Amino acid sequence: MSSRPIHDLLHEDHQRLAVLLDASCVDGRIDDVACHEFRAGLLRHIGMEEKIVMPAVKLQNGGESLPLARQMRLDHAALAALLVPTPTPAIVGRIRALLEVHNVMEEEDGGIYAQCDELVHEHLDDLLEQLRHARPVKLAPYQDGPRGLASIERLLRATGLEWSP
């Protein structure tokens, strides 16, 4: 077994999601099937991190969250908000830009995944089993409107990115 099992499992999921994201918008055209699969996959991935990994890490870290946990949650909120409206090339571009920064924070040496592997080693088998069996997220219909766009703008600004629909 790898000495970085959490890192490896979640990195592989990042790669799978990157392929779907690339297929979501080709030559300025949105592919509805790829977008749907990406949306479902990213929300499941966020759930895996927020509901399984981060609580386990906090428990093993004496009740303390990792230093990067706040930024991770901000990014997740912005990504989830970007998945609410009907996808456009601009939205796919913003998701791509945010994931480029976000995934590095998680995957780099000493990043969130490395810290997770280090902290949860005693409960690793159970945690990996939970991750492998994480349930799909039930998707709501797309919601377009000014409130949603204002929310996206506010959340992206909090992550350090700007929004221009």
Side-chain angles (χ1 to χ4, degrees), residues 24-82:
S24 293
C25 184
V26 178
D27 296 329
R29 291 192 198 115
I30 296 296
D31 181 305
D32 293 332
V33 173
C35 278
H36 177 81
E37 288 182 40
F38 173 78
R39 183 180 186 220
L42 183 59
L43 289 172
R44 178 179 179 268
H45 184 91
I46 289 171
M48 291 164 60
E49 292 175 348
E50 294 285 346
K51 295 177 181 178
I52 299 170
V53 175
M54 297 314 290
V57 167
K58 187 174 182 177
L59 183 65
Q60 296 304 309
N61 198 32
E64 295 291 322
S65 296
L66 295 178
L68 292 172
R70 182 177 185 281
Q71 183 63 47
M72 182 181 189
R73 285 191 182 94
L74 282 172
D75 291 355
H76 286 167
L79 288 163
L82 284 162

Side-chain angles (χ1 to χ4, degrees), residues 6-128:
I6 293 170
H7 174 282
D8 293 349
L9 186 141
L10 294 173
H11 169 73
E12 285 175 21
D13 203 35
H14 281 177
Q15 291 179 313
R16 179 184 69 82
L17 291 168
V19 169
L20 289 170
L21 183 61
D22 287 345
S24 293
C25 184
V26 178
D27 296 329
R29 291 192 198 115
I30 296 296
D31 181 305
D32 293 332
V33 173
C35 278
H36 177 81
E37 288 182 40
F38 173 78
R39 183 180 186 220
L42 183 59
L43 289 172
R44 178 179 179 268
H45 184 91
I46 289 171
M48 291 164 60
E49 292 175 348
E50 294 285 346
K51 295 177 181 178
I52 299 170
V53 175
M54 297 314 290
V57 167
K58 187 174 182 177
L59 183 65
Q60 296 304 309
N61 198 32
E64 295 291 322
S65 296
L66 295 178
L68 292 172
R70 182 177 185 281
Q71 183 63 47
M72 182 181 189
R73 285 191 182 94
L74 282 172
D75 291 355
H76 286 167
L79 288 163
L82 284 162
L83 297 173
V84 171
T86 303
T88 65
I91 289 172
V92 171
R94 281 291 156 223
I95 291 170
R96 184 175 282 112
L98 182 50
L99 285 175
E100 285 174 5
V101 175
H102 179 81
N103 290 352
V104 169
M105 173 185 68
E106 291 178 337
E107 294 181 17
E108 69 186 348
D109 288 341
I112 289 173
Y113 294 167
Q115 293 174 54
C116 293
D117 278 320
E118 186 177 313
L119 286 166
V120 300
H121 65 295
E122 291 178 24
H123 306 281
L124 189 58
D125 291 338
D126 181 51
L127 190 61
L128 289 170

